[in-house]
Amino acid sequence: MRHYYIFLTACILSGCNGYITDANDASQTSTDIATLEHHSHGENENHTHDSIDITNKILENRATNCAEYANTYTSDVLDIQRDLDFEGNLEIVLENGKCLFNTNSIPNHNFNDGGAHFATAVSEVNKTFKVTQTPTPAASTTPLSLRTDNAIFLNGVKLDLLAAGCFGIGDGRIGCHKMNAPFRYDPMSPASSFGTDSHNAHTQPDGTYHYHGNPNALFHSDQAIESPIVGFAADGYPIYGSYFDDNGTVRKAASSYQLKSGTRVAQNGINPGGSYDGTYIDDYKYVKNLGDLDECNGMTINGSYGYYITDAYPWVLKCFKGTPDASFNKR
């Protein structure tokens, strides 16, 4: 059994049973709701509160500074298909203007359910990610890379959007490590078969559980409630759920990417044929001001920039507005 810690402050965690799929279940309050006192953090200041169980809890905190999440939480979860209990750990501590996420990569919800087919069994994998407390925009955006993880969620699970699979290379699902290779598969496409569970997650060869899109667990995804921050990108900017307040109307943020029209055109002599249907990330194009979000899938509200989880491509983020921390580089 392994202990799972998440450090959160200035938040109220609402309980729910099982997966966060039913609006009524997800909105129920119970006697074990943990209400945390709001604190401001100085340099190198860390909290030593007792651990609080956040198993299957929905987050509500919207504090944009990662330092506001320095505290300890626990959860007990189940690998459904293996009928195996897991406990994990996540520590978020402050050091030299950064938040250190020390995690064993175990989520706060059950996993490996439904039609999931994990090539490798989930394992406890210890990792440390560093997030700046003061993100700033870079001179130019940084594209996503197979060499860099994208973000860390507030349940200790990382985001790794890109697949190492392209049409015509290997078996199509692995072995495509060149970033300029055309027709890279989108793991979130219904036409792709990446063996993900109901949380849009599966494992890497070392057993690391990671998301390719919406975790379907950390925020109300079926209610028009302004979404909390659910994680932080490698550049330090926060990641929100799907909903935002648009001048008094709470609604889902809309991506500015759309499918290209017509049939696919060969790239570097490679062409899988067929119409642009979202099987590959090359099937999409960015159209400025088409939706609410910019080319990185983020926007600024009340002076604060953040990325948003969307129901359509690119799902969470497409590029980094700031400078990714080197701790997100893969070995």
Side-chain angles (χ1 to χ4, degrees):
M1 302 288 283
R2 288 159 277 190
H3 280 300
Y4 181 70
Y5 303 114
I6 285 187
F7 300 167
L8 302 171
T9 60
C11 67
I12 299 174
L13 299 176
S14 299
C16 66
N17 297 320
Y19 298 111
I20 312 302
T21 55
D22 181 80
N24 293 324
D25 288 343
S27 62
Q28 289 178 353
T29 57
S30 62
T31 57
D32 67 347
I33 290 179
T35 303
L36 304 181
E37 181 182 359
H38 185 96
H39 294 273
S40 60
H41 300 280
E43 188 73 8
N44 297 317
E45 179 186 353
N46 296 297
H47 282 184
T48 58
H49 291 296
D50 293 336
S51 299
I52 299 175
D53 186 351
I54 62 161
T55 305
N56 293 328
K57 303 293 185 180
I58 286 182
L59 305 177
E60 293 185 1
N61 194 351
R62 291 177 53 81
T64 59
N65 189 331
C66 63
E68 294 296 332
Y69 300 86
N71 215 324
T72 309
Y73 285 77
T74 62
S75 69
D76 298 302
V77 296
L78 179 68
D79 182 325
I80 300 294
Q81 292 193 21
R82 291 194 291 164
D83 193 24
L84 183 64
D85 291 324
F86 277 84
E87 298 176 36
N89 67 76
L90 168 67
E91 291 181 317
I92 304 177
V93 297
L94 311 182
E95 180 181 284
N96 299 325
K98 295 184 178 182
C99 299
L100 273 62
F101 288 69
N102 301 313
T103 177
N104 71 348
S105 308
I106 302 300
N108 69 324
H109 54 74
N110 296 343
F111 55 88
N112 194 16
D113 62 335
H117 181 70
F118 294 176
T120 306
V122 172
S123 298
E124 178 181 340
V125 180
N126 295 318
K127 295 179 180 292
T128 296
F129 299 101
K130 297 181 181 181
V131 173
T132 180
Q133 296 180 36
T134 55
T136 55
S140 60
T141 61
T142 300
L144 301 186
S145 169
L146 291 173
R147 297 181 179 181
T148 304
D149 288 316
N150 312 138
I152 180 70
F153 283 94
L154 288 171
N155 64 352
V157 177
K158 71 177 184 177
L159 176 71
D160 190 6
L161 289 163
L162 295 181
C166 305
F167 176 80
I169 298 179
D171 66 359
R173 298 300 182 267
I174 59 174
C176 180
H177 300 293
K178 292 183 178 181
M179 279 307 302
N180 60 351
F183 299 110
R184 184 175 303 280
Y185 284 96
D186 179 6
M188 291 290 290
S189 170
S192 300
S193 301
F194 279 83
T196 54
D197 62 13
S198 68
H199 299 280
N200 295 313
H202 60 178
T203 56
Q204 292 174 330
D206 64 354
T208 300
Y209 186 80
H210 63 285
Y211 299 119
H212 280 288
N214 188 347
N216 293 324
L218 301 179
F219 68 98
H220 293 284
S221 59
D222 53 0
Q223 292 179 313
I225 300 173
E226 197 171 11
S227 294
I229 287 171
V230 296
F232 288 86
D235 60 3
Y237 284 111
I239 297 173
Y240 294 87
S242 300
Y243 290 90
F244 75 104
D245 188 339
D246 182 13
N247 296 316
T249 299
V250 177
R251 63 177 179 83
K252 285 186 175 181
S255 164
S256 292
Y257 285 81
Q258 70 177 19
L259 286 171
K260 299 174 184 176
S261 59
T263 56
R264 296 187 180 97
V265 177
Q267 299 183 43
N268 298 331
I270 298 175
N271 190 353
S275 300
Y276 295 108
D277 61 3
T279 301
Y280 310 97
I281 63 176
D282 305 69
D283 288 354
Y284 295 92
K285 64 179 179 179
Y286 171 67
V287 181
K288 188 175 181 179
N289 297 325
L290 175 67
D292 305 298
L293 308 177
D294 62 17
E295 74 275 20
C296 291
N297 219 42
M299 64 178 166
T300 299
I301 295 181
N302 297 326
S304 296
Y305 182 84
Y307 306 103
Y308 284 79
I309 292 175
T310 50
D311 290 340
Y313 186 83
W315 313 111
V316 186
L317 68 158
K318 176 66 174 179
C319 52
F320 297 108
K321 205 71 170 181
T323 303
D325 191 272
S327 64
F328 284 81
N329 293 344
K330 299 176 182 178
R331 294 181 180 177

